Amino acid sequence: MPVRYQEKDRAAVVTGVGGWVPPHVVTNEDLSARLDTSDEWIRTRTGIRTRHVISPGMATSDLAFEAGRRALASAGDPEIGAVVLATTTPDRPCPATAPDVAARLGLVGVPAFDISAVCAGFLYGLATAAGLIASGTARQVLLIGADAFTTIVDPKDRSTAVIFADGAGAVVLRAGQADEPGAVGPVVLGSDGRSAHLIQVPAGGSRQRSRSRSCDPGDEFFQMEGRETFRQAVERMSTTSRQAVEAVGWTLGDIDRLAAHQANARILKAVADRLAIPAGNQLSNISRVGNTGAASIPLLLAQSAENSSLTAGHRVLLTAFGGGLSWGAATLTWPRLPAS
Ligand code: COA
């Protein structure tokens, strides 16, 4: 049922968070046993030591369901008016995965749809959820970021197989006031399709259809030009972070916690250095979970809240960069959550 538009409650406020990774852990040694790589190379070039990988039979919706369930519980199981799922690895090309996840969470009848913005998907989802709330379409939104990147990465490609992994994270947002804890500040987004080739799965869409079974070798897999991606990620995340901080009326010195997309530890260090955010104020879980795509930021928030490196009152800067190219940043003051 459409909600009544209320002028005073137009901001999106975080009321719950949850994360989930599949139990199977793959170490750098496991990868070194089947690829021409080493624990030392992976650790020093990416900061990753372990990652979680889905088991046979598991799909993105399973990850999304678990994270969504935990976020709903953390928010006290509120009445949800919309479900938004950011993912690059939907269960199938058609239809969207969100309605399935919503139904499994008992949310039949609410609008539910996917967002495709690769590793920036959670921030695109945040802007979308805030828009659903501001427009009066929903008063409470479940936003999930979930990816099973190991299902699209070429297991023989050492430059991507060591980085990308599987996981999910979610937040619950409700309509509220812009000045209350948990309120999401202006979400700054951007894209540059001229460089779409830097991060892509060339086949499986309308240009190289999977039906033809004649795509170029390797084109069914995720491909990435690492060096230029690295350069763009640092530039876009630092620039857009400054814009988001300025848009909310803060300075970079106000930031208590940086929650950046966990792409690569060296990218994270370069972004934090540019923004002059001290090491102690940077949230990180990349060494344990790798790059989990759209799940990265909400999973980081969930794990950081759980281990108390993120607590109520912290002023948080979120930023992400990914394929498209697409990028974004936003701010929020971490709220006191019922379960925390
Ligand atoms: N193990 C060992 N050697 C590897 C390797 C691996 N897993 N992956 C690549 N190499 C090799 C390359 O083949 C290359 O060898 P060569 O010099 O003989 O050609 C060498 O290491 C250097 O490759 P390069 O790509 O220049 O390394 P890099 O220092 O840029 O690190 C990435 C590679 C992929 C780790 C880095 O470019 C990166 O992190 N890019 C961004 C990734 C990312 O975050 N993407 C997601 C954005 S959302």
Side-chain angles (χ1 to χ4, degrees), residues 91-176:
D91 284 12
R92 47 201 165 200
C94 171
T97 303
D100 179 22
V101 175
R104 286 164 63 184
L105 290 166
L107 301 168
V108 174
V110 306
F113 57 94
D114 292 1
I115 286 194
S116 173
V118 199
C119 297
F122 181 75
L123 281 164
Y124 272 70
L126 204 53
T128 306
L132 291 170
I133 287 170
S135 66
T137 299
R139 284 192 69 75
Q140 312 217 54
V141 178
L142 173 63
L143 167 61
I144 308 172
D147 266 316
F149 258 100
T150 60
T151 63
I152 58 170
V153 159
D154 181 350
K156 295 193 285 300
D157 179 358
R158 66 178 181 174
S159 69
T160 53
V162 303
I163 295 177
F164 292 93
D166 307 333
V171 294
V172 175
L173 300 145
R174 66 158 166 80

Side-chain angles (χ1 to χ4, degrees), residues 36-38 41-42 45-46 119 158-160 162-164 199 222 224-227 229-230 233 261 263-264 266-267 291 321-323:
D36 182 14
T37 189
S38 66
W41 194 96
I42 302 170
R45 299 295 184 104
T46 71
C119 297
R158 66 178 181 174
S159 69
T160 53
V162 303
I163 295 177
F164 292 93
I199 299 172
F222 180 86
M224 179 182 70
E225 290 182 27
R227 275 203 183 165
T229 297
F230 192 111
H261 166 54
N264 174 320
R266 288 186 301 144
I267 291 178
N291 182 336
F321 169 87

Side-chain angles (χ1 to χ4, degrees), residues 23 29 53 113 162 171 199 214 222 245 266 278 288 293 323 325-326:
E29 285 78 11
V53 172
F113 57 94
V162 303
V171 294
I199 299 172
S214 63
F222 180 86
V245 166
R266 288 186 301 144
R288 288 177 282 121
L325 303 175
S326 47

Side-chain angles (χ1 to χ4, degrees), residues 265-281:
R266 288 186 301 144
I267 291 178
L268 296 173
K269 179 171 184 330
V271 171
D273 284 351
R274 283 196 181 196
L275 299 176
I277 294 180
N281 290 7

Side-chain angles (χ1 to χ4, degrees), residues 1-310:
M1 190 179 37
V3 295
R4 215 151 31 102
Y5 182 82
Q6 294 191 354
E7 183 69 37
K8 65 180 177 60
D9 281 348
R10 294 185 63 190
V13 178
V14 173
T15 60
V17 68
W20 196 73
V21 284
H24 182 55
V25 174
V26 171
T27 65
N28 292 347
E29 285 78 11
D30 295 333
L31 291 173
S32 307
R34 63 173 178 80
L35 286 169
D36 182 14
T37 189
S38 66
D39 171 54
E40 205 258 335
W41 194 96
I42 302 170
R43 266 191 297 105
T44 54
R45 299 295 184 104
T46 71
I48 301 167
R49 290 171 183 269
T50 60
R51 72 285 291 144
H52 293 253
V53 172
I54 59 169
S55 308
M58 209 182 263
T60 294
S61 60
D62 301 314
L63 306 175
F65 168 78
E66 276 300 333
R69 193 174 63 76
R70 288 162 186 236
L72 290 172
S74 144
D77 285 316
E79 194 178 322
I80 294 295
V83 176
V84 180
L85 171 63
T87 186
T88 303
T89 56
D91 284 12
R92 47 201 165 200
C94 171
T97 303
D100 179 22
V101 175
R104 286 164 63 184
L105 290 166
L107 301 168
V108 174
V110 306
F113 57 94
D114 292 1
I115 286 194
S116 173
V118 199
C119 297
F122 181 75
L123 281 164
Y124 272 70
L126 204 53
T128 306
L132 291 170
I133 287 170
S135 66
T137 299
R139 284 192 69 75
Q140 312 217 54
V141 178
L142 173 63
L143 167 61
I144 308 172
D147 266 316
F149 258 100
T150 60
T151 63
I152 58 170
V153 159
D154 181 350
K156 295 193 285 300
D157 179 358
R158 66 178 181 174
S159 69
T160 53
V162 303
I163 295 177
F164 292 93
D166 307 333
V171 294
V172 175
L173 300 145
R174 66 158 166 80
Q177 319 257 327
D179 58 358
E180 63 178 303
V184 177
V187 185
V188 180
L189 301 174
S191 79
D192 182 356
R194 294 171 304 178
S195 298
H197 61 279
L198 292 181
I199 299 172
Q200 62 170 336
V201 180
S206 60
R207 191 165 295 284
Q208 279 199 65
R209 298 175 196 186
S210 49
R211 197 176 43 161
S212 72
R213 295 178 190 277
S214 63
C215 67
D216 294 338
D219 276 6
E220 72 275 35
F221 291 121
F222 180 86
Q223 299 172 3
M224 179 182 70
E225 290 182 27
R227 275 203 183 165
E228 182 57 13
T229 297
F230 192 111
R231 197 189 66 76
Q232 291 263 357
V234 173
E235 171 60 31
R236 298 302 188 182
M237 284 202 276
S238 30
T239 302
T240 198
S241 288
R242 289 179 192 281
Q243 292 166 343
V245 166
E246 193 182 327
V248 78
W250 296 354
T251 68
L252 286 167
D254 293 329
I255 302 301
D256 298 309
R257 293 292 180 266
L258 173 64
H261 166 54
Q262 304 286 291
N264 174 320
R266 288 186 301 144
I267 291 178
L268 296 173
K269 179 171 184 330
V271 171
D273 284 351
R274 283 196 181 196
L275 299 176
I277 294 180
N281 290 7
Q282 300 163 30
L283 300 177
S284 184
N285 61 357
I286 189 166
S287 68
R288 288 177 282 121
V289 302
N291 182 336
T292 57
S296 182
I297 289 179
L299 181 60
L300 177 65
L301 294 175
Q303 293 185 340
S304 302
E306 198 175 317
N307 68 23
S308 299
S309 47
L310 175 63

